[in-house]
Amino acid sequence: MEQPAISDYGYLSDCRSGALVSRAGSIDWWCPHRFDSPSVFARLLDPNGGHWRLAPVAVGHTGHRVQRSYQPNTLVLRTVHHTAEGSVAVTDALAAEEGARAHEIGMRSPAVLLRVVEGLSGRVTMSLDYRPRPEYGLLTPYLRELPDGAVASVAGSMALVLRCTGLPLRVEHDRVRQTFTVDEGQVLGFDLAYAPAYGAEPARLDPVRALTDTVLAWEAFRESHQYQGRYPEVVRHSATVLTGLTYARSGAVAAAATTSLPERIGGDRNYDYRFCWLRDFAMTMRALWVAACPTESSRLFEWAARSIGRVGSDPVPVLFGLQGERDVSEHVCPHLAGYAGTGPVRIGNDAWRQRQLDVPGEVISAVWRLHDYLGDQLPVDLRDMVFGLTEQVAATWRLPDRGIWEQRDRERHYLSSKALCWVAMDRAVRLAPQLGERADVRRWAGIRDEIRATVLRDGFDERRGAFTGALGSPELDAAALYLPVVGFLPATDPRMRATIEAIERELGGADGLVHRWEGDPAGFVLCSFWLVECLVLAGERERAARLFERVSGHANDVGLFSEQIDPVTGAHLGNTPQALSHIGQVNAAWRLTDPILD
């Protein structure tokens, strides 16, 4: 089978786990226990990684045509196949708990994949190919037929049961593979239920009824969010995707649903993004606030405060597991070839060990964003956290670090890291009335001003005529676009204006995509939306709107973004769907609505 493009995949979520389904009807990725747990389907990363295909036999043949879309305001995906025999719809979802509505999704998810087939016209011959491979493809399960026509799969720590209403399923060695026909008006429902091997049995649902209930649950989510800005459909959809990347039991938002999708085919920057980054925290908070999602933003804040805990002299971890785990050590799966043969496939992410000096600034700025809602004095644990983070920045801001792009070669004095150290001290000074008597305003303000002077003196390269990626370096870096976004320097400042123009000229392109640095193989979606924000702040709102629409046009046919996009081919690259890309889109849409975002 030819490897589908990353943009060929739609995304399903139950706010516990995520699954990817291709235009050809194959579910090639699903980690059913939670986003960062072992997969049962991983053909996304290796032809033998496991999959579940359900589609017309005619897929890929002459005359076959596909239309797909999400049910409005949901992550329930409907794919219509038009063939020479007729037309059939397959609707896919990860089931919500029966009766769940809005924020209840994912709290007690049944971990069931739903697939409902509906004959629209003619008689269409369908193909089913079910081949689970648990533990990232390491295990071949025992499959056995059950008296009710279902198939049980048991291997290692998990059990799976595949059922269909009205179609007995037959095992063929290590898979279920059969054909059947669907007539106009006929409906067949499939459900694949997961459970730990040594616990309760997998849930049993009526797939048609469960699908209806899941649609209602998602619709209730969106009904509670009243976004009033520009591009409302785009913002609501991106907010839905962010909700679908949220692990509901803790409130953490995964950076993406996948691991090891490459930034460049044939490269080695393939990382596991199924965790929650503190860097993304403030950006996510801003996006959820913009999209009028107060419950999600407050739950995310609670997760961050609990995960960080008491702040000491050691650097705050860059990222955490979805329930606040600190050690997410990385290892390689040598048995998986990688997407399009691009290895290595990594599980875990060793960036958690890095020093990244921007992280406290992101967290403190998020506290500042919510300060109006937190009362005249912050709760004791929150005061301790802000105080500890501020003192940590005061003691460490002169050190080099790994930077916002988490470089794995050596530490440098990254411009964006220093600017976020300034943000930390600036927001701490503003929060001083709510921090109590320990707030050392005069000293903090002095350090804030010293950081600013250092960045302005050493971060601007006179020969290049721009702020660069690291102090004393001549190399451009699109992270400099973050300076106006966080309020470090106005976009109208001549030095910042020159930097925006240099980045647009040398790191941008006619397609609207902005590369992170010279030699970066593809456009980075978040940076492209940062440029939109910078243009708004520089007073070029009309040009910003045109750029916003051009960048938004790079989403796939169901409105999803990966991390990067090839400017030549338009191919999506990197993990998908990528939270930062959708966060960037939401924040840029609101910036076009109201330039005063903070």
Side-chain angles (χ1 to χ4, degrees):
M1 172 187 167
E2 184 179 347
Q3 179 87 60
I6 293 172
S7 59
D8 276 354
Y9 286 99
Y11 177 58
L12 314 176
S13 173
D14 57 4
C15 297
R16 162 181 173 162
S17 65
L20 296 184
V21 55
S22 73
R23 289 175 60 86
S26 183
I27 295 177
D28 291 345
W29 183 252
W30 186 33
C31 304
H33 180 61
R34 70 183 211 184
F35 294 106
D36 56 351
S37 68
S39 65
V40 296
F41 302 133
R43 185 157 68 174
L44 181 72
L45 298 175
D46 190 280
N48 296 311
H51 65 276
W52 178 17
R53 181 182 180 277
L54 180 61
V57 171
V59 164
H61 294 186
T62 302
H64 175 254
R65 183 166 54 89
V66 173
Q67 294 174 300
R68 61 180 184 168
S69 61
Y70 284 111
Q71 304 268 40
N73 300 316
T74 77
L75 290 179
V76 175
L77 185 65
R78 178 179 171 86
T79 303
V80 178
H81 298 271
H82 300 285
T83 75
E85 296 178 311
S87 298
V88 64
V90 180
T91 304
D92 297 319
L94 280 166
E97 184 184 9
E98 184 177 2
R101 293 295 179 267
H103 304 287
E104 297 168 343
I105 296 178
M107 292 297 187
R108 293 176 298 279
S109 166
V112 178
L113 261 171
L114 305 172
R115 312 196 75 176
V116 174
V117 180
E118 178 186 0
L120 302 179
S121 66
R123 167 176 278 194
V124 180
T125 304
M126 300 288 291
S127 171
L128 182 149
D129 187 7
Y130 167 71
R131 193 168 183 257
R133 289 293 182 270
E135 296 280 346
Y136 301 110
L138 282 173
L139 296 176
T140 300
Y142 292 103
L143 271 61
R144 71 176 188 274
E145 297 174 6
L146 300 179
D148 61 357
V151 171
S153 314
V154 178
S157 63
M158 62 180 63
L160 297 163
V161 176
L162 175 64
R163 295 185 173 89
C164 175
T165 56
L167 179 68
L169 302 173
R170 298 288 177 255
V171 172
E172 184 182 304
H173 185 46
D174 64 349
R175 68 208 303 171
V176 175
R177 184 163 54 183
Q178 61 194 82
T179 59
F180 58 96
T181 58
V182 177
D183 294 318
E184 181 178 345
Q186 185 179 3
V187 176
L188 289 175
F190 296 81
D191 64 287
L192 175 62
Y194 155 86
Y198 302 102
E201 292 185 358
R204 182 165 191 168
L205 302 178
D206 177 326
V208 175
R209 187 173 66 186
L211 184 65
T212 300
D213 215 37
T214 300
V215 170
L216 292 173
W218 279 106
E219 288 175 344
F221 244 127
R222 296 282 68 86
E223 287 171 3
S224 65
H225 303 153
Q226 301 300 319
Y227 172 74
Q228 300 297 326
R230 295 184 67 177
Y231 306 103
E233 293 303 319
V234 164
V235 169
R236 280 196 288 267
H237 180 61
S238 275
T240 301
V241 174
L242 291 174
T243 300
L245 288 169
T246 301
Y247 184 68
R249 298 181 187 188
S250 68
V253 177
T258 57
T259 179
S260 301
L261 293 184
E263 296 179 10
R264 179 174 63 85
I265 303 301
D268 63 356
R269 287 179 59 89
N270 318 326
Y271 301 122
D272 193 345
Y273 279 10
R274 298 171 298 160
F275 308 108
C276 190
W277 268 251
L278 285 179
R279 171 179 299 105
D280 303 359
F281 168 64
M283 301 181 200
T284 307
M285 290 282 291
R286 183 184 297 116
L288 293 175
W289 172 73
V290 161
C293 308
T295 300
E296 290 99 307
S297 59
S298 61
R299 292 196 66 233
L300 178 60
F301 188 77
E302 291 169 6
W303 169 86
R306 175 175 291 187
S307 298
I308 292 170
R310 187 177 295 278
V311 179
S313 58
D314 294 332
V316 175
V318 175
L319 62 109
F320 293 87
L322 299 177
Q323 290 185 322
E325 302 91 343
R326 291 200 172 207
D327 188 342
V328 292
S329 295
E330 185 177 298
H331 68 275
V332 170
C333 294
H335 64 286
L336 294 176
Y339 177 83
T342 299
V345 172
R346 294 181 170 99
I347 306 301
N349 196 309
D350 275 346
W352 76 275
R353 306 176 190 273
Q354 293 185 357
R355 176 167 58 229
Q356 297 179 16
L357 295 174
D358 66 302
V359 169
E362 300 284 13
V363 176
I364 297 172
S365 70
V367 178
W368 169 250
R369 179 171 303 283
L370 289 181
H371 77 282
D372 285 342
Y373 304 95
L374 295 172
D376 293 336
Q377 194 167 65
L378 301 182
V380 173
D381 56 345
L382 202 53
R383 290 204 308 271
D384 288 346
M385 183 187 75
V386 172
F387 182 82
L389 290 174
T390 304
E391 290 297 334
Q392 189 174 99
V393 172
T396 62
W397 73 269
R398 293 181 179 85
L399 298 175
D401 73 329
R402 298 288 181 173
I404 192 171
W405 308 130
E406 302 184 345
Q407 301 292 356
R408 295 197 173 194
D409 51 358
R410 63 184 178 86
E411 293 184 333
R412 297 175 175 84
H413 291 279
Y414 285 102
L415 176 92
S416 58
S417 297
K418 304 302 184 191
L420 264 294
C421 287
W422 174 87
V423 168
M425 305 310 296
D426 178 73
R427 304 311 191 260
V429 168
R430 298 192 202 186
L431 283 166
Q434 292 167 281
L435 293 175
E437 59 184 19
R438 285 198 296 169
D440 194 344
V441 176
R442 179 174 295 181
R443 183 169 62 89
W444 291 353
I447 295 170
R448 174 197 63 191
D449 295 343
E450 185 181 358
I451 296 171
R452 179 181 176 82
T454 300
V455 172
L456 295 178
R457 182 186 66 242
D458 299 334
F460 190 84
D461 186 90
E462 295 290 348
R463 291 171 297 175
R464 199 72 187 256
F467 286 104
T468 55
L471 304 189
S473 168
E475 298 175 1
L476 285 178
D477 188 325
L481 294 173
Y482 204 28
L483 271 61
V485 173
V486 298
F488 178 84
L489 198 66
T492 53
D493 181 284
R495 293 161 296 182
M496 196 64 235
R497 180 69 257 190
T499 301
I500 294 169
E501 291 173 357
I503 289 173
E504 193 173 12
R505 180 177 63 251
E506 299 183 39
L507 299 183
D511 53 11
L513 297 171
V514 175
H515 298 244
R516 288 171 293 180
W517 55 74
E518 294 164 298
D520 193 16
F524 202 82
V525 177
L526 175 64
C527 295
S528 306
F529 285 124
W530 278 349
L531 178 56
V532 172
E533 292 198 63
C534 286
L535 291 177
V536 174
L537 292 169
E540 299 188 55
R541 192 186 294 243
E542 290 185 10
R543 192 155 74 90
R546 291 195 297 271
L547 177 61
F548 177 88
E549 291 164 10
R550 199 156 64 244
V551 176
S552 294
H554 287 289
N556 75 355
D557 60 317
V558 289
L560 299 178
F561 282 110
S562 64
E563 182 182 33
Q564 294 183 260
I565 296 170
D566 187 304
V568 177
T569 65
H572 286 213
L573 294 166
N575 288 302
T576 193
Q578 177 80 4
L580 279 182
S581 299
H582 289 276
I583 288 165
Q585 187 179 46
V586 170
N587 289 337
W590 182 249
R591 188 76 77 175
L592 282 160
T593 303
D594 182 0
I596 310 302
L597 183 55
D598 289 311

